């Protein structure tokens, strides 16, 4: 892509506050974007071949949405964690194994998508985020859900298509968790904490494609309580 094309994109971005350049085979984050650190609210560089996010990403202090789906990122810089206004972060289809230590400082974050990466655990950093609504960790290599998950503030947690065989009973203590997706994992029925049914806020539990028949779930103690929440929620949205 020529300089003139990039220049045109930059000029548009200066006016609109949004820079979108997808599917152009970019191998690196466009350095010229740093001229717009105070303008940009949205950056979308999906479907490129970007391997590194430079430290200068920390300078975009007004950024609300960062979308880098389907690139080649293997790590994220600590500087990313300076983005105090960031509400939406989409990093699906990369090669991330972990999140920066300071990730919990992204205090405005509402939506986080990390589907199709190489995470092996639910990152503990997420528990510090007070405004999280949706966390998508589907299609990773997560094998267990640790005790720290009880502090997660998310409303929806998607763990579909992982390798989960163990879940901490603490998940039923999540204060805002309404939707828990665990489809296509390696769960035995005995490994599903019954407190999710009897003693949690969860009103939609999706567990198809595990190592038990769904009808067996209905025999568990607490299933009636779960169905009460499920039905009440359905009525609300009907």
């Amino acid at each position: 892509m020529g300089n003139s094309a990039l220049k045109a994109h930059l000029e548009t971005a200066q006016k609109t506050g949004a820079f979108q350049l997808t599917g152009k085979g970019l191998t690196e984050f466009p350095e010229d974007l740093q001229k717009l650190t105070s303008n940009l609210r949205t950056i979308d560089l999906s479907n490129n071949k970007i391997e590194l996010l430079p430290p200068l990403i920390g300078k975009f202090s007004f950024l609300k949405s960062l979308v880098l789906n389907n690139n080649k990122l293997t790590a994220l810089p600590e500087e990313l964690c300076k983005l105090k206004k960031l509400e939406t972060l989409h990093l699906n289809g990369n090669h991330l194994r972990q999140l920066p230590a300071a990730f919990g400082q992204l205090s405005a974050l509402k939506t986080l998508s990390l589907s199709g990466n190489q995470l092996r655990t639910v990152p503990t950093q997420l528990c510090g985020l007070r405004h999280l609504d949706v966390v998508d960790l589907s299609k990773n290599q997560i094998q267990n859900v640790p005790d720290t998950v009880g502090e997660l503030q998310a409303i929806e947690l998607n763990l579909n298509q992982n390798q989960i065989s163990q879940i901490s009973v603490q998940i039923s203590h999540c204060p805002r968790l309404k939707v828990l997706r665990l489809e296509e994992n390696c769960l035995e029925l005995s490994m599903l904490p019954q407190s999710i049914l009897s003693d949690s806020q969860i009103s939609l539990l999706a567990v198809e494609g595990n190592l038990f028949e769904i009808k067996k779930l209905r025999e568990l103690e607490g299933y009636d309580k779960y169905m009460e929440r499920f039905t009440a929620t359905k009525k609300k949205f009907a």
Side-chain angles (χ1 to χ4, degrees), residues 45-178:
L45 295 166
S46 297
N47 303 312
N48 282 297
K49 296 173 182 173
I50 298 167
E51 293 180 18
L52 280 177
L53 204 50
L56 70 89
I57 191 68
K59 294 180 180 166
F60 291 88
S61 45
F62 297 98
L63 201 63
K64 283 193 163 182
S65 171
L66 178 58
V67 184
L68 289 158
N69 294 333
N70 305 317
N71 275 283
K72 298 189 177 226
L73 298 170
T74 53
L76 300 170
E78 289 288 342
E79 286 80 3
L80 176 71
C81 309
K82 293 179 180 169
L83 302 179
K84 297 289 181 222
K85 289 193 161 51
L86 195 67
E87 294 177 7
T88 305
L89 180 58
H90 289 287
L91 294 160
N92 302 327
N94 280 282
H95 309 294
L96 299 169
R97 292 172 184 271
Q98 58 193 38
L99 298 179
F103 198 82
Q105 292 173 13
L106 290 171
S107 50
L109 202 61
K110 290 180 181 172
T111 305
L112 175 63
S113 288
L114 286 160
S115 180
N117 278 281
Q118 293 170 17
L119 299 172
R120 292 181 176 274
T121 181
V122 177
T124 52
Q125 296 95 313
L126 302 186
C127 297
L129 299 169
R130 295 278 165 253
H131 300 288
L132 265 190
D133 290 335
V134 180
V135 180
D136 185 353
L137 300 173
S138 61
K139 300 181 185 171
N140 276 281
Q141 297 162 15
I142 298 168
Q143 295 174 5
N144 68 345
V145 180
D147 287 349
T148 46
V149 76
E151 294 168 42
L152 189 70
Q153 301 286 324
I155 296 168
E156 175 170 343
L157 177 59
N158 185 343
L159 291 164
N160 289 348
Q161 292 177 288
N162 276 285
Q163 299 155 19
I164 296 167
S165 59
Q166 283 187 311
I167 300 179
S168 167
V169 67
Q170 297 295 330
I171 198 160
S172 48
H173 296 168
C174 291
R176 298 169 70 214
L177 192 62
K178 299 274 194 287

Side-chain angles (χ1 to χ4, degrees), residues 14-42:
Q14 194 161 4
K15 294 183 191 117
T16 62
F19 183 84
Q20 184 180 25
L21 200 57
T22 60
K24 295 288 187 220
L26 292 183
T27 52
E28 48 191 51
F29 187 88
E31 292 250 320
D32 287 348
L33 280 186
Q34 58 189 323
K35 297 172 189 162
L36 300 178
T37 47
S38 56
N39 300 65
L40 290 183
R41 305 289 186 270
T42 302

Side-chain angles (χ1 to χ4, degrees), residues 203 228-238:
S203 55
E228 278 173 26
R229 295 192 303 271
F230 178 79
T231 312
T233 307
K234 273 219 138 148
K235 279 191 187 131
K236 205 160 70 179
F237 291 117

